[in-house]
Amino acid sequence: MLEINNLHARVGETDILKGLDLTVNAGEVHAVMGPNGSGKSTLSKILAGSEDYTVTEGRVRLLGQDLLDMSPEQRAAAGVFLGFQYPVEIPGVSNMVFLKSALNAQRKTRGEPELEAGDFLAWVRHRVKQMKMDPAMLSRGVNEGFSGGEKKRNEILQMLVLEPRLMVLDETDSGLDIDALKIVAEGINALRSPERATLLVTHYQRLLDYVQPDKVHVLSGGRIIKSGGPELAHELEEKGYGWLSEQRAA
Ligand code: ADP
Ligand code: MG
Ligand code: MG
């Protein structure tokens, strides 16, 4: 589903990604872990089409399509969803209006008709219920005055409404209490399907207790330096990252 080959990217004069390879098959959830500053957020933002970064080498394909050739809007329509480390507030634009325009923009780019108002409402209400959210939040401004946990829950609601093919969640578990963490995990698990793939950027094992990854990767210095199964996340929790660079140097 997602195939990244030899990806090199820089911001200004600084090389950040230095030959990153990663393949995620349909239906799989991969966790990306790694020290601060290793390039995890850079990778996430490049997948979504951020213009802050220049890709200097390599290839990224989603379902065989060249992602790097596509605009951020085309990527969203192709099913790329990026969850932010710090979700943005859009005061004055209600959640309902935001979700409707995001969904319809994607449908339009795909050449599909807009959803009828009644169908849209039923769909959003179903998802709000699933996320155990207060329906009143639909009329509030996007993330306006939301607590950290509410913002994360809202982000997963956006994801459930949009039903992406590739979900990229960058530290979506940071700052969550255990109840919010479980709800976020339920949302991610609800979208687990053979038609979708997920990249979960996280620092902690605890999210992976609720969302079982198929594979775990360590990103360090702009490359994947180690990959393994779920047990690798436990090993990292126990030993940190230092032993990996020592292993590489040996
Ligand atoms: P991570 O998410 O793994 O903590 P990032 O991808 O955020 O790492 O950052 C990787 C490196 O790139 C860091 O050294 C960071 O300072 C640098 N970097 C990222 N974005 C920018 C930017 N817009 N301008 C300058 N440096 C950046
Ligand atoms: Mg960081
Ligand atoms: Mg980051």
Side-chain angles (χ1 to χ4, degrees):
M1 171 145 303
L2 176 69
E3 208 185 340
I4 304 175
N5 302 110
N6 191 33
L7 187 62
H8 290 253
R10 52 171 39 186
V11 56
E13 299 292 296
T14 315
D15 292 318
I16 301 173
L17 299 184
K18 302 169 186 170
L20 188 141
D21 293 298
L22 183 64
T23 301
V24 184
N25 295 316
E28 292 180 345
V29 174
H30 289 211
V32 176
M33 305 179 85
N36 273 325
S38 59
K40 303 182 299 295
S41 294
T42 300
L43 171 65
S44 307
K45 287 188 259 182
I46 286 175
L47 291 174
S50 164
E51 284 168 7
D52 297 345
Y53 305 91
T54 312
V55 172
T56 52
E57 219 181 310
R59 201 175 63 175
V60 178
R61 289 193 300 177
L62 178 70
L63 292 160
Q65 286 179 287
D66 189 342
L67 212 58
L68 300 178
D69 275 350
M70 295 158 70
S71 68
E73 294 73 23
Q74 288 170 325
R75 295 178 200 212
V80 179
F81 179 93
L82 173 64
F84 292 100
Q85 198 165 357
Y86 305 105
V88 286
E89 295 187 25
I90 318 178
V93 176
S94 76
N95 265 307
M96 187 71 101
V97 166
F98 175 81
L99 289 169
K100 194 169 182 189
S101 49
L103 189 61
N104 280 328
Q106 293 193 8
R107 294 175 68 91
K108 195 172 169 201
T109 310
R110 290 197 292 256
E112 296 165 6
E114 284 197 1
L115 273 186
E116 300 225 1
D119 291 341
F120 170 75
L121 209 59
W123 175 236
V124 170
R125 287 198 174 132
H126 161 68
R127 290 313 206 183
V128 164
K129 207 169 161 190
Q130 195 175 6
M131 287 308 289
K132 301 188 174 77
M133 292 169 89
D134 177 358
M137 55 65 63
L138 282 170
S139 47
R140 284 172 59 184
V142 176
N143 290 328
E144 194 178 353
F146 283 27
S147 71
E150 285 171 337
K151 284 182 185 174
K152 291 302 168 131
R153 207 174 291 203
N154 202 35
E155 177 174 72
I156 301 298
L157 173 72
Q158 291 168 5
M159 190 171 84
L160 288 173
V161 168
L162 296 173
E163 297 192 294
R165 304 299 296 267
L166 175 68
M167 304 179 270
V168 183
L169 297 172
D170 187 4
E171 289 191 38
T172 210
D173 52 339
S174 61
L176 294 190
D177 64 31
I178 206 75
D179 291 334
L181 187 75
K182 281 186 191 165
I183 286 169
V184 164
E186 276 169 28
I188 297 169
N189 286 328
L191 282 180
R192 254 182 129 137
S193 95
E195 281 92 57
R196 275 187 263 280
T198 306
L199 265 189
L200 220 49
V201 175
T202 181
H203 276 299
Y204 306 106
Q205 163 60 36
R206 54 175 210 158
L207 176 64
L208 306 179
D209 288 336
Y210 301 103
V211 183
Q212 275 283 324
D214 296 288
K215 287 200 175 134
V216 175
H217 307 276
V218 179
L219 175 53
S220 178
R223 286 191 198 98
I224 302 292
I225 60 162
K226 191 166 180 76
S227 299
E231 74 288 347
L232 178 57
H234 288 283
E235 210 175 347
L236 294 168
E237 182 104 322
E238 202 182 304
K239 302 202 239 168
Y241 296 107
W243 61 286
L244 288 171
S245 28
E246 283 155 28
Q247 203 177 55
R248 266 168 73 81

